[in-house]
Amino acid sequence: MRGHSASLMREQFAAIKKQIPILYSLLVINSLFLAIVISESVSPIFAFGFPLLLCVGALIRMIYWRRDIAPTAKLRAKQVQQKLYIVNIVALLFTLLLGYWAITGMVLMNPQDRYYAGFFAILSCITCTYCLLSMPSAAYIVILFGAVPISVSLAIVGDGNLALGGLNLTIIGLLVTKMVQAQWEQLKTMVRSNMLIGFEKARAHRLANQDALTLLPNRRAFVGWLDALTPRQKENGVGLLLIDLNGFKMVNDTYGHDVGDEVLKISMQRFEKCLGEGQHLARLGGDEFAILVYNATQSKISALARLIITSLTKQIEINGVFHNVGAGIGSSFSVKRDVKFEQMLKRADIALYSAKKSRQSKYRPFIQSMEEALKRRSAIENALTNETEFAKIQLLFQPILSSNSHHIVGLEALARWKIPHIGDVSPREFLQVAQDMGLMDKLSEHLFIKLLESMDFWPQNIWISFNMSAREIMSKRSLQKLVKLADSRDFDLTRLKIELKETSLVTDLDAMIKILNILQSRGVGVILDDFGSGLAAISVLQKMKIEMVKIDHHLLHEARNCPRALDLYHGLLMLLRSINMPVVATGVESEDHKMILRALPVDYLQGFYIGRPFNVGDAAEFFDPAKLLQLQ
């Protein structure tokens, strides 16, 4: 047994435990039959004394084995080794006693009965050896100290037949020895195979549950942790943090995956330094990590999130290059039995989405309003993919008034949508969702068709402005489709003006100008909206052919109570007047706004005070000359 592996010894022990009852049963039965054979030649005490002693010893050992109910796998290797040593010692004692009793009986009994004594003794040795096949040391003890002395005794008693029996026993003993050795090799091979299978299973389990790059538990392992949460753990408080690295994609795309991998490893090391007892880190994939916190409180979770964000404030240096990486973190917290891990993960993901909106390192714990916002967004997404609901997106038209003639000169087309179970959805909201879903081209086409259908309701001298994003303008295919639709309905493109927000013109301005020039060559006008809210205004005015400018309505609202804001508003007007740029004052919503604009060089007015958005059904009434709203 010395030098054997723990697994091999355990396998031996498990096999022996199964064979011991059979071994003692066979030994007792053979001993009783042998006692009956020799009882006619020897005293009853000698004949039945050994079987009685054997039965007592077997009973004691059987009780011992029955009481030893500990599973073999739970025993330490040293314990298994000690038990196997005891098996060897007991095998030696029983074999010596059996050999002495059988040989002595053969010497004392009648010569004609000695063959039977030898037969039962040999049978006992062979059956015991067979039961000990999984333990060669014990099997060899039975052969060496039992079968060999009995064979020698049969050979020297002077009877030819008994000598042949002894020779036969010797040959059988050698064959049994060979069989024991073969069985032993087979057992070792089986144990080695099982160990290899076990190693491969463990390796496969490790690979399936471990991230190859960081060696952290992966998403599968993390979900397993959540699935294994007990009601008691939930009652003690369980926290979940989802971490998404800010700036990682730019580093990965600019410097390559090798540098990106190093950034992930260094970030992971910093995260691990932040962890305390009962806090476990996993990598879910890409640049997303997760932390499970046991015995959590909301304050403990918040403190951990702030610590992680702080750990990333120091730049990461790789090959002499410093990289700025931050983190957005969302968390969820539960102390309820009925909260399932899917719900916790979903809530943390909702909070992470909220944190990532700012594109800065921020932490957001989950609050119920976040889930309501997500449900609302999901409903909008579903409605956008539902053709019936999508078709309900309508256009309203807000008038633009000339400050000189006090007549309507143009209309701005404004998208409006009402969804069942949600109500009115603002354009800002559903346009952003449509853009995220890649549906802006489809939506623009739908709204442009609505605009073309409305043109028959407007006087020929009225122009229509249509809002488009920079992304839509940069899509030649989208613009070509809109122009084709206009041509198919014989729509005069000189009546169309495209509104672009100043804040959307900070990308490739030169490329956009080239595309807009094509539209302007067909008579389409360009209006710069929200002038004064962004940083691109001067360069846009310099490079782009702008037909008119709409000043950001916030400036007019602030000018009511802030002289400095009024001076700024006036300065912008003077700037635009110096280049003869027509100006639309937006956000005219009160008498105060009207009074402010009386003394300012504004060409056009737009706002609720001028007229609220209306649908095409109200066109006739709205353009009734007797009811035109005039700015006195």
Side-chain angles (χ1 to χ4, degrees):
M1 292 177 294
R2 191 178 302 278
H4 292 173
S5 69
S7 297
L8 183 57
M9 287 192 296
R10 284 193 172 89
E11 196 64 39
Q12 285 181 281
F13 187 66
I16 287 294
K17 285 180 70 173
K18 296 177 182 178
Q19 295 298 325
I20 284 295
I22 300 174
L23 185 149
Y24 283 124
S25 298
L26 292 172
L27 191 57
V28 169
I29 292 171
N30 284 340
S31 298
L32 288 173
F33 275 100
L34 181 57
I36 294 172
V37 170
I38 66 175
S39 61
E40 297 179 1
S41 303
V42 299
S43 67
I45 295 176
F46 182 83
F48 291 99
F50 175 75
L52 181 61
L53 181 63
L54 181 61
C55 287
V56 173
L59 180 62
I60 293 172
R61 289 293 289 166
M62 289 288 286
I63 293 173
Y64 169 79
W65 284 98
R66 291 287 295 175
R67 291 182 64 185
D68 187 17
I69 59 175
T72 305
K74 292 186 177 181
L75 294 173
R76 297 192 302 272
K78 192 68 175 177
Q79 291 176 304
V80 175
Q81 192 176 42
Q82 290 173 350
K83 291 178 182 293
L84 293 179
Y85 273 125
I86 293 174
V87 171
N88 281 334
I89 292 171
V90 173
L92 177 62
L93 291 176
F94 278 134
T95 300
L96 290 175
L97 288 173
L98 175 63
Y100 171 78
W101 179 64
I103 293 171
T104 304
M106 285 189 295
V107 172
L108 297 176
M109 67 189 301
N110 297 325
Q112 64 273 19
D113 295 328
R114 288 173 181 167
Y115 179 80
Y116 298 106
F119 172 77
F120 285 112
I122 291 169
L123 186 61
S124 295
C125 290
I126 292 174
T127 52
C128 289
T129 301
Y130 183 79
C131 290
L132 297 169
L133 283 176
S134 60
M135 192 170 175
S137 55
Y140 295 153
I141 285 173
V142 173
I143 293 173
L144 181 62
F145 295 99
V148 171
I150 293 173
S151 299
V152 172
S153 298
L154 290 173
I156 64 176
V157 293
D159 187 310
N161 290 331
L162 293 179
L164 288 174
L167 178 61
N168 183 42
L169 179 58
T170 302
I171 296 172
I172 291 173
L174 293 173
L175 294 175
V176 170
T177 302
K178 184 69 175 176
M179 183 174 65
V180 169
Q181 184 62 32
Q183 182 70 18
W184 172 240
E185 293 298 328
Q186 185 176 356
L187 180 64
K188 289 194 292 184
T189 301
M190 182 192 72
V191 170
R192 280 195 296 268
S193 298
N194 289 340
M195 289 177 65
L196 288 174
I197 292 172
F199 290 151
E200 288 300 318
K201 285 183 177 179
R203 180 173 176 271
H205 182 270
R206 185 176 67 255
L207 291 176
N209 292 275
Q210 186 180 65
D211 176 58
L213 176 65
T214 61
L215 302 183
L216 289 173
N218 60 13
R219 177 180 289 274
R220 178 176 177 178
F222 187 75
V223 171
W225 294 348
L226 295 177
D227 201 19
L229 289 175
T230 64
R232 181 177 182 81
Q233 286 172 320
K234 290 182 180 180
E235 287 177 349
N236 290 338
V238 176
L240 175 60
L241 288 86
L242 292 184
I243 308 167
D244 195 274
L245 298 182
N246 294 330
F248 171 76
K249 186 177 187 302
M250 184 177 69
V251 173
N252 201 50
D253 293 344
T254 305
Y255 296 93
H257 295 299
D258 291 341
V259 174
D261 289 347
E262 285 301 313
V263 169
L264 289 174
K265 290 179 184 178
I266 294 172
S267 300
M268 175 267 294
Q269 292 166 3
R270 294 184 182 183
F271 296 161
E272 287 184 323
K273 290 180 181 179
C274 300
L275 300 181
E277 184 179 356
Q279 299 173 354
H280 306 282
L281 177 67
R283 182 189 177 202
L284 303 189
D287 60 344
E288 190 175 11
F289 295 82
I291 298 176
L292 184 64
V293 181
Y294 296 108
N295 299 321
T297 62
Q298 189 62 64
S299 60
K300 184 186 293 187
I301 295 170
S302 299
L304 176 59
R306 288 192 294 269
L307 194 60
I308 288 173
I309 289 176
T310 302
S311 73
L312 292 176
T313 55
K314 182 181 178 182
Q315 291 181 313
I316 295 176
E317 181 184 1
I318 301 174
N319 300 327
V321 180
F322 291 89
H323 304 282
N324 293 307
V325 177
I329 303 177
S331 73
S332 61
F333 172 65
S334 172
V335 288
K336 296 181 180 179
R337 284 174 176 256
D338 58 343
V339 175
K340 296 182 179 179
F341 78 85
E342 296 96 337
Q343 190 174 7
M344 287 188 66
L345 196 58
K346 178 183 176 182
R347 288 179 172 180
D349 195 50
I350 292 171
L352 176 61
Y353 177 79
S354 176
K356 291 289 287 183
K357 277 184 177 180
S358 65
R359 301 181 182 273
Q360 297 177 353
S361 292
K362 284 193 176 180
Y363 163 62
R364 290 284 185 272
F366 171 81
I367 55 178
Q368 196 61 41
S369 60
M370 291 180 180
E371 189 164 18
E372 296 302 321
L374 188 68
K375 289 180 180 178
R376 180 179 177 87
R377 179 184 172 91
S378 179
I380 294 172
E381 290 176 350
N382 292 334
L384 282 171
T385 56
N386 184 304
E387 293 299 330
T388 302
E389 296 303 323
F390 185 89
K392 295 178 181 178
I393 303 176
Q394 299 295 325
L395 283 180
L396 296 184
F397 300 88
Q398 187 171 31
I400 299 173
L401 193 76
S402 169
S403 61
N404 295 321
S405 66
H406 307 302
H407 285 77
I408 296 174
V409 294
L411 300 169
E412 180 182 358
L414 301 171
R416 294 293 184 265
W417 196 20
K418 190 172 184 177
I419 302 176
H421 311 300
I422 293 183
D424 292 327
V425 182
S426 70
R428 182 186 297 273
E429 189 174 10
F430 69 76
L431 288 174
Q432 181 60 55
V433 176
Q435 184 168 316
D436 293 342
M437 296 177 67
L439 296 175
M440 276 305 298
D441 289 346
K442 179 181 178 181
L443 181 56
S444 293
E445 181 180 350
H446 168 76
L447 293 176
F448 193 68
I449 290 174
K450 292 287 184 182
L451 183 146
L452 295 175
E453 291 174 348
S454 72
M455 294 310 296
D456 293 338
F457 294 89
W458 319 125
Q460 290 295 316
N461 62 335
I462 299 296
W463 48 262
I464 308 294
S465 68
F466 186 72
N467 291 277
M468 296 189 73
S469 67
R471 179 185 170 278
E472 293 174 274
I473 294 296
M474 296 299 289
S475 173
K476 291 183 180 180
R477 183 178 179 182
S478 177
L479 286 178
Q480 288 172 352
K481 184 176 288 186
L482 297 185
V483 171
K484 187 176 180 180
L485 285 170
D487 291 341
S488 67
R489 293 175 179 264
D490 295 326
F491 173 61
D492 183 4
L493 286 174
T494 60
R495 298 177 62 194
L496 176 66
K497 301 188 189 305
I498 293 176
E499 287 199 24
L500 295 172
K501 292 187 181 300
E502 179 191 344
T503 51
S504 70
L505 301 177
V506 293
T507 53
D508 193 345
L509 182 59
D510 292 334
M512 183 178 292
I513 290 173
K514 290 180 181 179
I515 296 174
L516 287 174
N517 285 339
I518 299 174
L519 289 175
Q520 289 172 324
S521 66
R522 293 288 306 273
V524 177
V526 176
I527 298 176
L528 183 60
D529 194 11
D530 288 346
F531 184 80
S533 63
L535 301 174
I538 302 301
S539 62
V540 169
L541 290 175
Q542 180 182 353
K543 295 181 179 182
M544 190 179 291
K545 297 177 183 178
I546 302 297
E547 186 170 326
M548 66 181 65
V549 168
K550 286 186 174 183
I551 296 182
D552 182 24
H553 67 277
H554 291 98
L555 293 175
L556 177 60
H557 293 177
E558 292 171 4
R560 289 180 58 184
N561 303 309
C562 179
R564 187 175 181 82
L566 180 59
D567 290 341
L568 178 60
Y569 197 91
H570 186 268
L572 287 177
L573 288 174
M574 292 300 100
L575 171 66
L576 295 170
R577 178 63 66 189
S578 68
I579 59 173
N580 298 317
M581 178 65 66
V583 176
V584 180
T586 63
V588 184
E589 299 178 357
S590 68
E591 181 69 20
D592 289 344
H593 294 154
K594 181 191 73 171
M595 298 304 295
I596 291 173
L597 293 171
R598 269 183 178 275
L600 297 178
V602 174
D603 301 287
Y604 305 102
L605 306 171
Q606 181 180 0
F608 287 171
Y609 186 77
I610 306 302
R612 291 182 175 274
F614 60 92
N615 58 42
V616 293
D618 299 326
E621 180 180 355
F622 206 91
F623 282 94
D624 184 347
K627 296 184 178 181
L628 280 178
L629 178 63
Q630 296 186 0
L631 186 62
Q632 299 297 329

